[in-house]
Amino acid sequence: MREISLREISLKLPLKPRELFILISISLFLIIFLMFFLEMRLLFGILLLISVAILIFFVSALKWRLSSYFFFSYLLLEGIFRKWILPEYSTPLFFVKHIVLVGPYFYLFTRGFKITKKDYPFLGLLLLYLIWGVLEALNFRVTTDLRVKILGLITHFWFVPLVFLIPLLLNTEERILRFFKSVGYISLPIFILGMVQYFSSPSSSINRYAPSQATGDIPIAAVGEYVRITGVFSYITPYTTYLPFVLIVILYLLLIRRLSKFEMPIFLVALSLGIINLVMTGSRGPFAFFIVQVLLFLFFSLKGRFRWRKRVFIRFALVIPILLLIMSYTDVGRKSLSALVERAQTSGDTKSRLIGTYTSFFRFIPDANLVGYGIGTAYQGANNLVEDWKDMPRDFEAEWERIVLELGLVGFIIVLLLRFYILFYSWRVFKRIKSYELKLIALMVFLFQIPILFGANIVFNYLEGIRYWFLLGLLVSVNRLERNNAAKSISISPR
């Protein structure tokens, strides 16, 4: 397989951000115009969607880097379209992000890419997981519906190639920094929207969820009189997946010396608003994990760097008083914090749920046996495709329960081995890296591996799966950059 040098893949974006925004806006306007003003019937709608899918594929294949960036943008746009603009096309819009990645994947696998044992020591386990998943697609124990099998393969494996794509996309420190800054800037209006949602009526259109054929109409979740916010996302869970990642990215930006005097206050405000949004989601687990991640991130990032501590202390000395003032002396802070505390007190199942993570899947092993019921059978969308599930238990909830039922005990062991290996691999990379900024990124990746110890839903929560494979690809990129920096320093050192 041909190796691609960094020079070959260091391509400039073909469009400036402003031109890209105009192009996307015009395209979306044309699609909406056709849908609403031509009184589109079902057949016309299907033909239009197929045409758009083909167009997206060709454009994304030719402009793979641009399409990759658009993929991450669409993760934020998707909820806007599914909830407010085109709710009747909620299901097709969900799969647009999958189509957008076809082009970059086509480029990736046709042009070739570099795989080394140093970068991908987990490749053997990953291939074993893929092979077992394909074999489980031939498991017709409860259903022969191929749609269930295809959905299962997509759910488990569609975003896995991000681990190979991201090292090509973010192959320099400058590109990583620009990407992180973009994430921070884009988060500001999302955080403001979340605060507006919190104080809006549950019946307000701003607080609706995306319609779903699989689950039907879902009542708006609330704590007392206040809703649990979703931001631009379709449901609460994706937003609570997005928030900790964005906040740690902003924390990273505040710790490095690459921000201007103009950017520093912007990201300090963004960090404060983001934490408030996390409280307003009413989600205890993500909030608790975030607190632990912040403490560990600050501990490891400041360990042994005494000259940095004063500067970092000054920056966060500005954030903490802001948060205390907001939480103590404003309706926004008091009501959101009291609502989270109320939910924590009234929901007494925290301990049982934590214990259940490590025990509940055992009750499904006798039914699932070694090979399970087949991939896709525990996916939430499969309920709309199959009426008779025969002897398969349907009272599952946690991811480990779903994996046991789908892939059996053998597949469950393969998945756990892969995830724990990646966890220890990310720790080794973090300890090995010397460059401070790259080391912080490796630390970030490691901290987001820790939730797998508590049954993180990587497969069936699409955004958590994207975040997982994206960060693993970022770790590979960081590892390569560290080796390149070390090679350069050796080559220029006096003999």
Side-chain angles (χ1 to χ4, degrees), residues 468-480:
Y468 182 83
W469 297 111
F470 165 81
L471 287 173
L472 187 55
L474 187 61
L475 185 69
V476 173
S477 181
V478 165
N479 200 21
R480 286 181 181 175

Side-chain angles (χ1 to χ4, degrees), residues 204-410:
S204 172
S205 60
I206 201 173
N207 281 320
R208 71 173 55 163
Y209 297 150
S212 171
Q213 294 180 353
T215 57
D217 293 332
I218 303 174
I220 301 300
V223 180
E225 59 181 305
Y226 300 102
V227 300
R228 298 176 60 193
I229 64 174
T230 60
V232 295
F233 293 92
S234 302
Y235 307 104
I236 296 171
T237 300
Y239 196 36
T240 57
T241 304
Y242 167 81
L243 280 170
F245 169 72
V246 173
L247 291 173
I248 294 295
V249 165
I250 294 174
L251 187 60
Y252 164 81
L253 292 172
L254 291 172
L255 286 174
I256 63 175
R257 298 178 174 180
R258 306 285 289 275
L259 296 182
S260 66
K261 293 181 179 180
F262 169 77
E263 292 173 321
M264 183 62 63
I266 291 178
F267 289 122
L268 285 171
V269 171
L271 182 64
S272 303
L273 295 180
I275 294 173
I276 295 171
N277 267 244
L278 189 56
V279 172
M280 288 178 172
T281 63
S283 297
R284 299 156 296 170
F287 183 77
F289 274 126
F290 171 71
I291 297 300
V292 173
Q293 285 173 327
V294 168
L295 294 176
L296 291 175
F297 193 80
L298 290 176
F299 173 77
F300 284 111
S301 61
L302 298 176
K303 185 180 179 182
R305 300 186 68 88
F306 301 103
R307 66 186 184 194
W308 284 58
R309 293 180 181 178
K310 181 178 179 181
R311 181 163 59 89
V312 173
F313 175 79
I314 293 173
R315 292 180 182 180
F316 287 94
L318 298 174
V319 175
I320 294 174
I322 292 173
L323 286 174
L324 290 176
L325 287 172
I326 293 174
M327 293 296 181
S328 303
Y329 297 101
T330 66
D331 285 342
V332 174
R334 285 199 305 268
K335 292 179 178 179
S336 60
L337 186 59
S338 62
L340 179 64
V341 172
E342 178 186 345
R343 185 165 187 266
Q345 292 174 341
T346 55
S347 300
D349 61 341
T350 303
K351 182 178 179 180
S352 60
R353 288 178 63 182
L354 184 60
I355 296 174
T357 300
Y358 307 104
T359 59
S360 62
F361 68 91
F362 282 106
R363 66 189 177 98
F364 294 110
I365 292 178
D367 295 309
N369 294 318
L370 295 177
V371 297
Y373 290 91
I375 198 166
T377 52
Y379 175 60
Q380 51 269 31
N383 288 327
N384 201 46
L385 302 175
V386 179
E387 294 183 0
D388 182 13
W389 289 101
K390 300 179 182 178
D391 65 334
M392 180 179 177
R394 304 303 295 174
D395 58 337
F396 50 80
E397 181 180 2
E399 188 194 53
W400 287 5
E401 298 172 355
R402 294 169 182 254
I403 292 176
V404 166
L405 286 170
E406 283 197 358
L407 307 182
L409 182 59
V410 174

Side-chain angles (χ1 to χ4, degrees), residues 121-130 157 160 411-425 449 452 468-469 472:
F122 50 85
L123 185 61
L125 284 171
L126 183 59
L127 288 174
L128 185 60
Y129 174 32
L130 176 61
F157 301 113
V160 172
F412 177 70
I413 292 173
I414 293 172
V415 171
L416 283 193
L417 285 175
L418 173 63
R419 292 184 182 176
F420 279 97
Y421 187 93
I422 290 173
L423 171 68
F424 292 115
Y425 166 68
Q449 301 294 322
I452 71 166
Y468 182 83
W469 297 111
L472 187 55

